[in-house]
Amino acid sequence: KALIETAWHNHASLERKSAKDPLADLSVPQLREVAHALDVPRQVITAFRERRVKLESVPKPFISALARVLSCPADLLLSVLVAPSGPALARSYKADVKPSAGAAISFEQLLIDAGVPEAKRAELLVEEE
């Protein structure tokens, strides 16, 4: 019985660690560092943090680079980004209407909205590593 309890405890703690969102606890300076390392505006990283990007539109090399900068496996990052955002968006606002995350946009549209130059966009949208 003790072995089962130990194994269950290890499994539960491992599951909690693996589901940890690597973007959730980043401070503003850390967000700047990530954005600088990837050579994108900070609003691009914020859009990933807020789950406003259609993941199927993001090239694998960019996901790999983001995971590398965040020091987490790419598959963990993808599994976290697929899940709906949690309490981070459930902030308190003085408004008549509850805030919402808005519709997800494509990665290319995100780069356009962020003012990324066309040459840099073409570089970021390359599908192969």
Side-chain angles (χ1 to χ4, degrees), residues 104-127:
I105 60 173
S106 72
F107 184 60
E108 183 174 15
Q109 186 61 50
L110 172 64
L111 295 175
I112 291 168
D113 293 349
V116 175
E118 190 174 337
K120 182 64 182 172
R121 272 197 321 262
E123 182 183 319
L124 290 170
L125 291 168
V126 171
E127 282 291 334

Side-chain angles (χ1 to χ4, degrees), residues 81-114:
L81 292 175
V82 167
S85 63
L89 285 180
R91 299 182 190 113
S92 171
Y93 291 91
K94 282 189 173 184
D96 295 333
V97 184
K98 184 177 179 180
S100 64
I105 60 173
S106 72
F107 184 60
E108 183 174 15
Q109 186 61 50
L110 172 64
L111 295 175
I112 291 168
D113 293 349

Side-chain angles (χ1 to χ4, degrees), residues 12-50:
S13 66
L14 208 151
E15 191 174 50
R16 269 180 283 176
K17 286 179 189 171
S18 68
K20 178 104 171 82
D21 183 352
L23 291 167
D25 297 329
L26 293 179
S27 65
V28 172
Q30 290 170 322
L31 283 172
R32 280 189 198 115
E33 288 175 22
V34 171
H36 180 70
L38 296 170
D39 197 21
V40 295
R42 197 174 82 206
Q43 73 188 69
V44 172
I45 306 305
T46 302
F48 278 97
R49 183 182 201 177
E50 295 174 351

Side-chain angles (χ1 to χ4, degrees), residues 55-101:
L55 289 180
E56 61 274 5
S57 70
V58 182
K60 288 180 178 80
F62 186 84
I63 293 289
S64 298
L66 180 58
R68 208 172 19 259
V69 170
L70 294 172
S71 301
C72 76
D75 53 342
L76 169 64
L77 179 62
L78 281 172
S79 67
V80 167
L81 292 175
V82 167
S85 63
L89 285 180
R91 299 182 190 113
S92 171
Y93 291 91
K94 282 189 173 184
D96 295 333
V97 184
K98 184 177 179 180
S100 64

